C-alpha cells in the first residue's frame, strides 16, 4: 500500500508541474513584453506587449510570478504583473549617475544593469549594476515586512550601509527594512581589482555580469572583467575569490577551480546539489565546479568560436559563439543562450552511460525576427541572453537584439524534429559576422 501511495504522490506532482502547459502549447513561442525591433523607452503602467525596451539582458521571476527585466540600455529594472500583464519600472530613473543609493529605488541611478537574482526568503532582488561596477539590492514591494535583528548575518553582508560597525553585532537594534529601497551590496565604483578579503562594499569590481545565490545563502558574483567568480562571505561580509586566478585564459580542468583561468565569465548558476555552472563566455564554454571536490570541468564547448556539434558527438566537441545565458530544468538538462549563433541550445547528459550531446531547441540560427505564436525551432532570434526556467517547465528569455522578452512552455518536452539536423544554419544568404557587442553596444560607446 505504501508503495502505491508514493507512486500516486509522484504522479500528482508530475501532473501539477505540467498543468500550466497544455500539450498543444508545448514548444510554441510567444512574446510577453516589448515591441519587436522597436528600441526605446515607453509603456509604463500599460500592456507589456506595447512597451518599448532597450536591449534587455537579464530576467528573473519571484515566488509571486512577477517577471523582472533588466532593461539594460534604459538603465532601469522593470516588472511585469503576472495577472494583468502590465509593466512598470521598479528601479532606475533613466540616468546613469550614482544617485539616491539607500533611498527609493525608482529614483536611483543605474547604469547598464544586466544580471539579477532573487532571494525569495528575504524578498531582495540583487542586481549587477554593470556599468557602475557595483552590486545593488532592491527590497521588493509585495513581500512581507521584514525585521532584521542585530545578530542576523544577512544584515551584515546584504545591507552593509546600515549594518553598523563590525564589532557591534550584539549591540545593534532590530530594524524594519523598508520596501522599494535600493542599497549597494558590493563594489566601491572604482573599476578594477584590489585584492582579497576586504569588505565587499569597499572592494573594486570590473563589469560584474552574473549573480547567483548558493544553497547556503551566499551571493556569488561573476566578476567578468577580473576573470573571476567571487562570493560575499555571509559571516564576514568580505569578498573572496572562489574560481579563477584573475589571468585571462583557458585552463585548469580537473584541478581546483581557484587555479583555473577564465575568460570573461558572464553567467553563474547553482543546481540543487550545490554544483556551480559557469558560462565562460570568452572561452565559448560551459564549465562546472563540483561542490564536493572544488574541481572544475568543461561540460560543453571546444574552446573555439563558431557553430557545430548539434546532435552528434560529445558536448565537449560542440562549438559555441560567446554564450551569455544559462538555465537548468527539473530533468537535469542545461540550456545555453548561444548568443552570437542566435540559438538556444540544450545540453543533454546521460550520467549512466557517460554520454552527452547538444541540440538546438529555439532558433534557426538566422538573425532576425519572423513573428511569434509558432514553433520555437522555426523562429529567428537576435542575440538571445538571460533566461530562466520555472518549476512548471516554462522557459523565459530575453531576445536582446529584438528588444523583446519571450516564453516557451514545456521546454524540457520539446524535441526538435530529426529533419532539423542543421537547424537552418544559413547557407543561402550572407551571414552577418558582427558580434553581440559590435551590434548593440559598440556604436553607442563610439557616440559618447
Amino acid at each position: 500500500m505504501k508503495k502505491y501511495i508514493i507512486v500516486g504522490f509522484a504522479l500528482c506532482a508530475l501532473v501539477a508541474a505540467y498543468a500550466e502547459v497544455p500539450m498543444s502549447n508545448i514548444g510554441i513561442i510567444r512574446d510577453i513584453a516589448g515591441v519587436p525591433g522597436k528600441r526605446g523607452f515607453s509603456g509604463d503602467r500599460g500592456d507589456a506587449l506595447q512597451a518599448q525596451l532597450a536591449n534587455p539582458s537579464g530576467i528573473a521571476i519571484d515566488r509571486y510570478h512577477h517577471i523582472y527585466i533588466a532593461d539594460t540600455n534604459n538603465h532601469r529594472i522593470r516588472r511585469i504583473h503576472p495577472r494583468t500583464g502590465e509593466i512598470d519600472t521598479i528601479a532606475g530613473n533613466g540616468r546613469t549617475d550614482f544617485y539616491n543609493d539607500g533611498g527609493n529605488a525608482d529614483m536611483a541611478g543605474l547604469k547598464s544593469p544586466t544580471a539579477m537574482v532573487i532571494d525569495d526568503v528575504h524578498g531582495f532582488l540583487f542586481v549587477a549594476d554593470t556599468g557602475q561596477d557595483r552590486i545593488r539590492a532592491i527590497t521588493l514591494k509585495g513581500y512581507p515586512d521584514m525585521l532584521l535583528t542585530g545578530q542576523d548575518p544577512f544584515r551584515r553582508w546584504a545591507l552593509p550601509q546600515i549594518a553598523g560597525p563590525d564589532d557591534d553585532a550584539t549591540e545593534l537594534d532590530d530594524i524594519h527594512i523598508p520596501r522599494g529601497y535600493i542599497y549597494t551590496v558590493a563594489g566601491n565604483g572604482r573599476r578594477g581589482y584590489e585584492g582579497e578579503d576586504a569588505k565587499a562594499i569597499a572592494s573594486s569590481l570590473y563589469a560584474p555580469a552574473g549573480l547567483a545565490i548558493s544553497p547556503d545563502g551566499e551571493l556569488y558574483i561573476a566578476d567578468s572583467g577580473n576573470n573571476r567568480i567571487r562570493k560575499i562571505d555571509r559571516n564576514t561580509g568580505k569578498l573572496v575569490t572562489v574560481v579563477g586566478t584573475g589571468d585571462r585564459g583557458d585552463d585548469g580542468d580537473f584541478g581546483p577551480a581557484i587555479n583555473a583561468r577564465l575568460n570573461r565569465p558572464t553567467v553563474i548558476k547553482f543546481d540543487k546539489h550545490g554544483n556551480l555552472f559557469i558560462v565562460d563566455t570568452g572561452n565559448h564554454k560551459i564549465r562546472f565546479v563540483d561542490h564536493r571536490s572544488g574541481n572544475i570541468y568543461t561540460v560543453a564547448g571546444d574552446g573555439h568560436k563558431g557553430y557545430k556539434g548539434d546532435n552528434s558527438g560529445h558536448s565537449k566537441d560542440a562549438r559555441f559563439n560567446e554564450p551569455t545565458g544559462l538555465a537548468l530544468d527539473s530533468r537535469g538538462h542545461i540550456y545555453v543562450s548561444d548568443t552570437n549563433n542566435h540559438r538556444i541550445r540544450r545540453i543533454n547528459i546521460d550520467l549512466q552511460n557517460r554520454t552527452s550531446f547538444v541540440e538546438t531547441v529555439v532558433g534557426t540560427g538566422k538573425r532576425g525576427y519572423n513573428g511569434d505564436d509558432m514553433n520555437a525551432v522555426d523562429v529567428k532570434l537576435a542575440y538571445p541572453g538571460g533566461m530562466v526556467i520555472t518549476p512548471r517547465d516554462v522557459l523565459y528569455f530575453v531576445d536582446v537584439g529584438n528588444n523583446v522578452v519571450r516564453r516557451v512552455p514545456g521546454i524540457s518536452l520539446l524535441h526538435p524534429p530529426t529533419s532539423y539536423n542543421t537547424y537552418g544554419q544559413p547557407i543561402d544568404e550572407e551571414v552577418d559576422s558582427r558580434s553581440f557587442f559590435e551590434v548593440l553596444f559598440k556604436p553607442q560607446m563610439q557616440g559618447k
Side-chain angles (χ1 to χ4, degrees):
M1 176 63 72
K2 183 181 294 184
K3 177 180 178 181
Y4 293 114
I5 292 174
I6 292 173
V7 171
F9 275 125
L11 289 173
C12 289
L14 184 63
V15 170
Y18 295 99
E20 186 182 281
V21 187
M23 290 298 292
S24 60
N25 290 335
I26 289 174
I28 302 298
I29 194 168
R30 290 188 176 91
D31 297 346
I32 65 164
V35 180
K38 299 293 185 180
R39 179 170 170 248
F41 175 72
S42 68
D44 271 357
R45 295 175 294 280
D47 184 351
L49 284 167
Q50 303 300 317
Q52 287 186 327
L53 308 173
N55 304 134
S57 61
I59 187 168
I61 302 177
D62 69 17
R63 69 186 187 193
Y64 302 114
H65 311 296
H66 295 101
I67 300 169
Y68 298 85
I69 304 166
D71 196 356
T72 303
N73 281 335
N74 280 323
H75 314 294
R76 291 173 166 93
I77 305 299
R78 305 176 79 178
R79 178 167 67 179
I80 302 174
H81 193 283
R83 291 190 299 275
T84 66
E86 290 184 352
I87 192 170
D88 210 345
T89 295
I90 68 160
N93 59 16
R95 295 167 52 185
T96 59
D97 53 350
F98 184 59
Y99 173 76
N100 210 47
D101 195 53
N104 289 308
D106 58 357
M107 297 173 62
L110 299 171
K111 186 176 182 181
S112 303
T114 54
M116 301 176 293
V117 67
I118 292 177
D119 179 347
D120 259 329
V121 174
H122 299 93
F124 274 43
L125 177 69
F126 294 101
V127 178
D129 193 359
T130 305
Q132 297 204 44
D133 301 298
R134 291 180 166 98
I135 307 301
R136 317 288 289 277
I138 301 167
T139 57
L140 294 174
K141 294 180 179 179
Y143 280 75
D145 289 340
M146 180 169 48
L147 176 69
L148 289 180
T149 69
Q151 300 181 47
D152 192 329
F154 181 79
R155 176 175 174 178
R156 287 281 160 190
W157 68 262
L159 297 168
Q161 294 155 296
I162 59 176
D166 294 346
D167 299 327
D168 291 344
T170 59
E171 300 176 11
L172 294 177
D173 293 331
D174 296 350
I175 58 171
H176 283 276
I177 302 302
R179 291 293 176 184
Y181 276 51
I182 189 169
Y183 303 91
T184 294
V185 175
N188 56 22
R190 296 190 297 271
R191 174 166 287 190
Y193 174 73
E194 296 175 341
E196 296 291 297
D197 294 327
K199 287 290 185 181
I201 198 170
S203 300
S204 289
L205 300 172
Y206 191 156
L211 297 173
I213 296 176
S214 69
D216 58 3
E218 290 182 306
L219 183 67
Y220 281 61
I221 303 166
D223 194 358
S224 182
N226 283 321
N227 305 302
R228 301 168 184 264
I229 309 300
R230 308 169 80 179
K231 75 171 185 178
I232 304 176
D233 186 281
R234 63 178 178 177
N235 295 314
T236 67
K238 293 181 177 180
L239 203 57
V240 181
T241 295
V242 291
V243 185
T245 64
D247 296 322
R248 179 175 294 186
D250 180 13
D251 59 25
D253 275 356
F254 304 102
I258 193 70
N259 296 332
R261 289 194 297 170
L262 307 175
N263 187 350
R264 293 186 294 110
T266 59
V267 183
I268 48 178
K269 187 88 65 176
F270 283 95
D271 68 12
K272 62 184 178 180
H273 304 294
N275 302 305
L276 178 64
F277 290 86
I278 302 169
V279 178
D280 196 356
T281 300
N283 285 325
H284 316 289
K285 289 183 173 184
I286 309 303
R287 304 179 80 176
F288 162 88
V289 179
D290 180 70
H291 81 284
R292 295 164 298 184
S293 67
N295 291 340
I296 191 169
Y297 307 89
T298 294
V299 175
D302 66 0
H304 298 285
K305 179 179 180 178
Y307 166 73
K308 73 170 186 177
D310 271 358
N311 291 324
S312 63
H314 194 279
S315 61
K316 288 179 66 174
D317 298 324
R319 190 162 289 177
F320 297 86
N321 193 341
E322 297 197 358
T324 64
L326 186 140
L328 308 172
D329 71 19
S330 61
R331 298 184 172 197
H333 301 122
I334 306 164
Y335 297 79
V336 180
S337 287
D338 193 359
T339 304
N340 286 348
N341 282 325
H342 314 297
R343 306 162 182 267
I344 293 175
R345 302 170 79 182
R346 179 166 62 203
I347 304 170
N348 301 273
I349 300 176
D350 184 343
L351 293 176
Q352 184 174 356
N353 296 310
R354 298 187 179 184
T355 61
S356 63
F357 68 94
V358 175
E359 61 183 344
T360 295
V361 291
V362 185
T364 65
K366 298 179 181 179
R367 181 165 68 93
Y369 183 89
N370 59 345
D372 67 347
D373 202 20
M374 58 194 295
N375 288 324
V377 294
D378 294 324
V379 299
K380 293 181 180 180
L381 306 177
Y383 309 105
M387 59 169 71
V388 64
I389 296 176
T390 71
R392 294 187 174 181
D393 203 38
V394 181
L395 168 70
Y396 290 84
F397 71 97
V398 288
D399 194 353
V400 183
N402 283 321
N403 300 295
V404 292
V405 181
R406 316 181 82 171
R407 72 192 292 267
V408 181
I411 189 64
S412 73
L413 303 177
L414 194 162
H415 297 290
T418 55
S419 60
Y420 279 82
N421 288 328
T422 60
Y423 295 95
Q425 182 70 2
I427 54 177
D428 56 351
E429 60 183 70
E430 184 178 353
V431 179
D432 189 337
S433 62
R434 292 177 300 169
S435 72
F436 170 84
F437 173 78
E438 290 171 324
V439 172
L440 301 179
F441 295 105
K442 192 174 182 180
Q444 299 164 53
M445 296 179 68
Q446 290 175 336
K448 292 184 178 179

